[in-house]
Amino acid sequence: MYRNRRLELLLYNKPLLRFIEFLLFLALGITGFLYLTQSFLKLGMRGVLDALAIYSFVAAAFLFLLVAEVVDSHYLRLLSSLVTFVGMFVAFRWIFQIDAPHLESGPMTTAMGAFIAGMVLAVAYFAVIVCRLVTDKMRAVAVARVHEAGEPRPRGEEAAGAAGGAEPAMPSFAAAEAEIPGELKLVGIAGPYLGESFPLAQGENPVGRKEGSILLPEDAQVSRRHCIIVWGEEGLTLRDLGSTNGSWVNGEPVTEMRLHPGDIIALGQSQFKLL
């Protein structure tokens, strides 16, 4: 399965989104301060109130973007970044084409530069989120193909198969209801842990980049505490622990789901088969 790891590391780089948001906040803050200050110097409190009425659209849109980031929803991020850009586009005419000619040119020129930079940042944020959604859909399709056609084994296994006999067939969905065996493990089929295996123990198996019994430090898309796999008397259950990029089972994002041998589990860039 082809995976552009560098692209995904960029797209799912949480500090990158935080940095874009900070720069956008800085650009809007500079613009707002200069605009409100010049409006006050020109018309006093009436000018400030009029400027606030115009700039409130931009401020409200940016607050919506922050809410979407807290909720951690790609679709809300997409909508909020679009609303932010539209709000800035509408405010641009009122601020710089209608009001700016009546205000001091020097500060308003600086404000315009900061505001245009903010619009570019809003578009960049929107583009990152669109690419994330497209990548997620491609991942879901790729995992579905694994079940339909079977995933090629790592090169080392292919060589061993050529020397020692035919390659075993991959379990199908029909095996999902098979009885849970006495030993289970996660076997990497794509990503940084391709070909590696992680045995599962009875009870709780926390998975994370820095915390847990199964550690995945080489995958930057895996959260510090990503998910937990519970192996109890009734079988196995995967429960997401509020991870940034989510947990996926057989191509679908899940918060909690019963697992069966043969399931494909995607965490960050890494994909594992439960065997």
Side-chain angles (χ1 to χ4, degrees):
M1 182 186 299
Y2 174 74
R3 302 288 299 281
N4 192 327
R5 291 182 58 189
R6 290 185 178 179
L7 175 61
E8 290 190 351
L9 280 173
L10 178 64
L11 291 179
Y12 288 91
N13 190 335
K14 199 169 185 178
L16 174 64
L17 285 184
R18 297 289 187 268
F19 185 61
I20 293 176
E21 291 166 1
F22 172 75
L23 292 180
L24 180 56
F25 171 78
L26 195 62
L28 295 179
I30 292 172
T31 302
F33 174 77
L34 293 174
Y35 179 44
L36 294 175
T37 301
Q38 293 305 307
S39 297
F40 176 76
L41 293 176
K42 181 70 175 180
L43 299 172
M45 283 304 300
R46 195 190 74 167
V48 172
L49 293 176
D50 290 343
L52 279 174
I54 295 172
Y55 212 66
S56 62
F57 292 101
V58 179
F62 181 74
L63 288 176
F64 183 28
L65 187 147
L66 293 181
V67 170
E69 192 64 30
V70 171
V71 174
D72 198 13
S73 167
H74 288 348
Y75 292 102
L76 277 181
R77 288 189 182 104
L78 188 70
L79 178 61
S80 63
S81 58
L82 182 60
V83 169
T84 300
F85 177 78
V86 171
M88 294 179 71
F89 183 81
V90 172
F92 184 88
R93 177 176 180 275
W94 286 93
I95 297 173
F96 299 107
Q97 294 181 358
I98 297 178
D99 288 350
H102 306 290
L103 304 175
E104 189 174 342
S105 61
M108 291 310 295
T109 299
T110 302
M112 180 183 291
F115 200 75
I116 292 175
M119 295 178 73
V120 173
L121 289 168
V123 172
Y125 189 95
F126 178 83
V128 169
I129 300 305
V130 168
C131 290
R132 276 193 179 192
L133 289 171
V134 171
T135 301
D136 287 347
K137 294 299 182 183
M138 291 175 63
R139 177 188 294 174
V141 171
V143 172
R145 287 175 179 171
V146 168
H147 286 288
E148 293 174 359
E151 179 75 4
R153 290 186 301 174
R155 291 180 182 177
E157 292 186 11
E158 289 176 355
E167 179 179 349
M170 217 173 171
S172 64
F173 281 116
E177 299 300 328
E179 183 180 354
I180 302 295
E183 295 183 0
L184 284 170
K185 58 185 176 180
L186 297 177
V187 178
I189 60 172
Y193 296 94
L194 176 66
E196 298 188 30
S197 62
F198 299 87
L200 296 176
Q202 295 278 349
E204 296 185 348
N205 297 267
V207 183
R209 193 178 72 254
K210 293 187 176 182
E211 298 180 14
S213 58
I214 297 178
L215 296 177
L216 307 174
E218 296 182 13
D219 194 333
Q221 294 181 20
V222 172
S223 297
R224 176 187 292 269
R225 297 177 64 253
H226 197 100
C227 69
I228 185 169
I229 298 176
V230 181
W231 188 353
E233 295 180 357
E234 298 181 355
L236 285 89
T237 301
L238 182 146
R239 184 167 67 250
D240 188 78
L241 297 177
S243 62
T244 300
N245 298 313
S247 301
W248 299 64
V249 177
N250 299 328
E252 297 294 333
V254 300
T255 54
E256 185 169 345
M257 185 173 182
R258 183 78 174 270
L259 298 177
H260 303 276
D263 284 343
I264 302 295
I265 301 170
L267 309 173
Q269 291 180 287
S270 306
Q271 291 189 32
F272 303 94
K273 192 175 186 66
L274 180 61
L275 296 174

